[in-house]
Amino acid sequence: MKRITVLGAFACFAAAVAGCAESASRTAVSTAPERSTLPAFGSEGELSAYLVGLAREQRDLRRRESEVSGNVADAMPEQAEAATFEAPAPVAAQDASARAAEGESVTNVQHAGVDEGGIVKVHGDYLVMLRRGRLFTVRIGGNALQPVSAVDAFGPDIDPSASWYDELLVSGDAVVVIGFSYERGGTEVGLFRISPDGQLRHRSTYHLRSNDYYSSRNYASRLIDGKLIFYTPLYLALNEEDPFAGFPAMRRWHPGAERDAFSRILPATRVYRAGRPVNAESGLALHTVTVCDLQTEEMGCEGTAVLGPPGRVFYVSPGAVYVWVSDWVRRENEKGAESMVYRIPLDGAGPSALAVRGSPVDQFSFLESADRHLNVLVRSGADGDGMWHGETTGGSTSLLRVPLDSFGDGGATASAERYRPLPTPAGYTFQNRFVGDYLLYGTGSGWGPPEQRAHATLYAVPWAEGPAAELPLPHGVDRIESMGGDAVVVGSDGQNLHFSAVRLGARPQLAQRYVSAGASQGELRSHGFFYKPDGRDGGILGLPIRGEGVPGYAHLRQGSASILFLRNRLSRFEELGELAARADGSGDDGCRASCVDWYGNARPLFLRGRIFALLGYEIVEGRLDGGTIQEARRISYAPRAVVAGRRG
């Protein structure tokens, strides 16, 4: 699905959600013992023969479907489109305060030490921002607040009109932009150099053949110890004559670059399959994890891929990437997921797998815990987090808890006793988060208008063992975040935005609540929130907000009205105030690419004892004075408008 096609559909999003139906649960049973890792293909010939066999299965399946339906064109349309890579018409985390290697982080990450691609990063004395197809730097060192550099987020001689530039990472003096180009064949990786004085210079651009990685909740890229790690799905329409035609490959971009310039990054010996037959009926995908070295002039990348069905959720712990894939089948009017979870170590060791049931909702459904277990919240009616699949989910709810030693060649299935049945909340916009020793979850509002909810339930489950606690709330569960050793739940009652503090001791309990009257969330992504501890039991949180009743999808086209700051003191909230955007905005910025804010545009920033609000093209600095936050100064780093065509 192309992202732009959904823009007109958000107005009726809530109605579509209401039409979803819950699905029944399914139970897993144990099977044969497993080997230590998945089997890899031994040679190009072995992999080629295997793929040709699957291609014949798909061909026969299409023929049978054609005989039944009389419509060959309807057979597997998504996979057929993915393999051609023809250019379409141009289209209009667990600890939140991790330290980056070079200083403080401004990203609300799921795991300390695992940076996630976002829209703002820090490099020494400079903020680096990615917005609407451009990169910017602003100097903050020496108590400054001064725009320095602005460049296109793509290389010279690149037509960006059918591309999205989504995520930014910084490692040393390397600035990395992750995007997706429908025209040039898949994931686009732009490398830039940032100088000691904050100037940006394009270094090189690479293309990785893939399908669109976008998720409304997840992030495609991670940075661990200077290594760029990203996940890309590639849906396969297998060709008997050339089974490798659509395989993951990379090229360095230059003007006039042709498709034959792609070189495969995935040898047969790095392609793995589970020790059980692959069902080709619902489509096939190569789920590829690519690790790249950013410190060399020529970016070198190595890929590891697992072959499986297309539905997916992926999660990155400090030591491994997990990819959960699901094959949806119907049996006697019961819909369930025949699933497999793959574990791909980041040290280059071979991947392993375990057969499972159901599907996680998003990456926050996972926790690789210190006791060497994988803990995953699964639902029988979830369908992964690709595109917007994570926004509507249903069915029964369970907590899967398995030792890492359970993973092997994929021949074994997690036994029924590994699933702990959990209470299932009413509603379809589902939020979940592991915080400390607890799994927290509930339902609320999402991309549509805030729901009118006078009550909801937050469930708090000790993930190691113990019963679930039910905490009643006078609002929906729209966001769950870590707040030191405790948690905060943010949600709407339809008119107001509530912040409920949850103390996570031996017995979870609600500690305090703050209500922002006539407000709604300004950002839905996890990076929109940040909590800055300033002691064992206290800190300051920031969250973008808008006016009453504004739908969640407004961040695609509109800036947030302001960022609200609250002080948490022993789980009791004190309002510090807001830093607001100017009503006149930034005017015409001459946007040429990525003119929809898929990743939002507002962030609270806490750096070196200073507080900032990133609001579109504005950065507002605040000053704490007598228990309130006051505007100290603001700048605009908006580019001057240029004569250029703009996409709708």
Side-chain angles (χ1 to χ4, degrees):
M1 179 189 296
K2 300 177 182 67
R3 300 186 207 176
I4 200 68
T5 61
V6 303
L7 285 178
F10 286 132
C12 59
F13 183 84
V17 171
C20 294
E22 289 196 0
S23 305
S25 64
R26 298 184 62 85
T27 304
V29 295
S30 60
T31 58
E34 71 278 3
R35 294 179 356 194
S36 58
T37 60
L38 290 171
F41 289 91
S43 67
E44 297 290 305
E46 181 186 355
L47 177 57
S48 177
Y50 180 82
L51 295 175
V52 168
L54 291 178
R56 290 171 179 164
E57 289 183 24
Q58 289 186 338
R59 180 196 61 196
D60 294 342
L61 174 64
R62 288 194 295 270
R63 182 181 298 118
R64 291 194 300 270
E65 290 178 345
S66 176
E67 292 171 354
V68 173
S69 66
N71 188 355
V72 178
D74 286 342
M76 302 181 69
E78 291 188 9
Q79 287 74 20
E81 177 183 348
T84 63
F85 292 100
E86 292 296 324
V91 291
Q94 192 162 12
D95 289 334
S97 54
R99 296 275 177 170
E102 55 215 25
E104 291 178 284
S105 172
V106 292
T107 306
N108 179 30
V109 297
Q110 185 175 8
H111 278 292
V114 182
D115 199 9
E116 301 166 355
I119 64 170
V120 57
K121 298 294 176 182
V122 181
H123 173 76
D125 289 337
Y126 299 90
L127 290 173
V128 186
M129 278 80 63
L130 172 66
R131 179 137 207 262
R132 293 168 65 84
R134 292 186 177 98
L135 278 171
F136 306 88
T137 60
V138 170
R139 184 170 181 264
I140 57 171
N143 202 40
L145 188 62
Q146 177 185 4
V148 174
S149 183
V151 299
D152 289 332
F154 44 90
D157 302 314
I158 285 182
D159 177 3
S161 58
S163 304
W164 301 106
Y165 298 97
D166 296 317
E167 300 182 10
L168 162 72
L169 286 163
V170 176
S171 176
D173 64 355
V175 176
V176 186
V177 175
I178 305 295
F180 186 83
S181 172
Y182 290 104
E183 182 175 0
R184 287 177 292 280
T187 299
E188 185 166 304
V189 181
L191 299 183
F192 297 78
R193 189 87 66 189
I194 183 170
S195 67
D197 60 355
Q199 297 295 325
L200 294 165
R201 177 177 60 86
H202 177 258
R203 195 173 111 196
S204 56
T205 295
Y206 295 84
H207 294 114
L208 179 73
R209 187 183 290 148
S210 73
N211 289 98
D212 197 343
Y213 51 73
Y214 178 78
S215 166
S216 62
R217 297 190 175 194
N218 212 336
Y219 306 92
S221 59
R222 304 293 195 275
L223 188 71
I224 302 178
D225 295 331
K227 299 289 186 181
L228 173 65
I229 300 162
F230 53 95
Y231 162 80
T232 49
L234 184 59
Y235 308 128
L236 297 178
L238 296 172
N239 184 334
E240 293 181 47
E241 296 181 359
D242 184 3
F244 299 116
F247 254 55
M250 189 172 71
R251 72 176 176 191
R252 181 167 179 164
W253 169 259
H254 59 83
E258 300 292 338
R259 295 192 184 278
D260 59 9
F262 279 98
S263 298
R264 276 179 56 194
I265 63 169
L266 199 62
T269 53
R270 297 299 295 175
V271 179
Y272 297 84
R273 53 177 166 160
R276 58 178 62 200
V278 174
N279 180 11
E281 292 187 11
S282 59
L284 291 171
L286 272 176
H287 300 275
T288 306
V289 175
T290 306
V291 180
C292 301
D293 187 349
L294 297 177
Q295 303 310 314
T296 58
E297 188 62 31
E298 283 283 338
M299 185 177 73
C301 298
E302 293 185 351
T304 300
V306 292
L307 188 66
R312 82 297 195 279
V313 182
F314 81 99
Y315 155 74
V316 183
S317 76
V321 178
Y322 292 86
V323 181
W324 186 298
V325 300
S326 299
D327 182 15
W328 289 96
V329 294
R330 288 187 180 274
R331 292 195 181 100
E332 300 178 357
N333 298 321
E334 182 179 356
K335 186 179 180 184
E338 303 278 356
S339 302
M340 186 76 67
V341 57
Y342 297 95
R343 185 178 191 270
I344 304 174
L346 294 175
D347 61 4
S352 53
L354 182 67
V356 286
R357 293 282 187 176
S359 175
V361 176
D362 54 30
Q363 77 272 27
F364 297 114
S365 303
F366 291 79
L367 171 66
E368 184 189 86
S369 50
D371 62 356
R372 292 190 51 79
H373 280 69
L374 180 67
N375 309 269
V376 189
L377 181 145
V378 295
R379 302 202 72 186
S380 61
D383 195 19
D385 67 358
M387 292 295 182
W388 290 270
H389 290 176
E391 302 303 327
T392 57
T393 180
S396 60
T397 307
S398 301
L399 176 61
L400 171 67
R401 178 169 162 81
V402 293
L404 298 186
D405 292 342
S406 301
F407 285 76
D409 70 352
T413 300
S415 59
E417 56 267 23
R418 291 294 180 184
Y419 296 84
R420 192 194 327 174
L422 299 177
T424 296
Y428 297 96
T429 302
F430 189 94
Q431 304 292 338
N432 56 176
R433 194 75 181 252
F434 286 89
V435 180
D437 295 331
Y438 287 87
L439 164 66
L440 307 176
Y441 68 94
T443 59
S445 303
W447 280 59
E451 295 183 11
Q452 303 284 334
R453 299 192 70 162
H455 56 83
T457 301
L458 175 73
Y459 297 91
V461 183
W463 47 259
E465 60 179 349
E470 299 185 10
L471 304 179
L473 298 172
H475 58 84
V477 179
D478 304 343
R479 175 186 290 272
I480 304 170
E481 299 287 356
S482 172
M483 194 170 63
D486 297 322
V488 58
V489 179
V490 182
S492 175
D493 61 12
Q495 288 82 37
N496 310 304
L497 191 64
H498 297 245
F499 295 74
S500 293
V502 182
R503 189 180 296 280
L504 296 175
R507 181 178 180 182
Q509 57 183 325
L510 294 171
Q512 182 57 289
R513 180 175 300 112
Y514 169 83
V515 181
S516 181
S520 57
Q521 275 203 98
E523 294 277 343
L524 301 184
R525 283 192 173 271
S526 60
H527 291 179
F529 173 93
F530 202 93
Y531 180 73
K532 182 71 171 179
D534 60 8
R536 180 178 179 181
D537 296 312
I540 300 175
L541 68 82
L543 181 71
I545 62 173
R546 304 179 196 272
E548 177 182 337
V550 178
Y553 61 78
H555 72 270
L556 298 178
R557 295 289 195 185
Q558 304 171 17
S560 293
S562 62
I563 292 182
L564 172 67
F565 294 91
L566 301 178
R567 180 177 292 282
N568 171 46
R569 198 185 301 277
L570 297 175
S571 295
R572 295 190 176 274
F573 290 126
E574 301 171 2
E575 179 182 351
L576 296 177
E578 302 174 18
L579 295 178
R582 285 196 175 127
D584 58 358
S586 58
D588 183 4
D589 62 357
C591 183
R592 297 174 56 205
S594 217
C595 301
V596 176
D597 290 328
W598 295 112
Y599 283 62
N601 51 52
R603 301 287 187 268
L605 307 175
F606 300 87
L607 276 169
R608 303 170 190 176
R610 300 164 70 185
I611 301 175
F612 303 93
L614 173 63
L615 295 160
Y617 284 122
E618 291 185 288
I619 299 178
V620 185
E621 183 171 4
R623 179 184 65 251
L624 289 176
D625 184 9
T628 62
I629 191 165
Q630 305 291 331
E631 179 181 329
R633 53 182 165 172
R634 73 173 62 216
I635 62 162
S636 171
Y637 63 92
R640 295 180 180 179
V642 296
V643 178
R646 295 188 64 192
R647 296 182 286 121

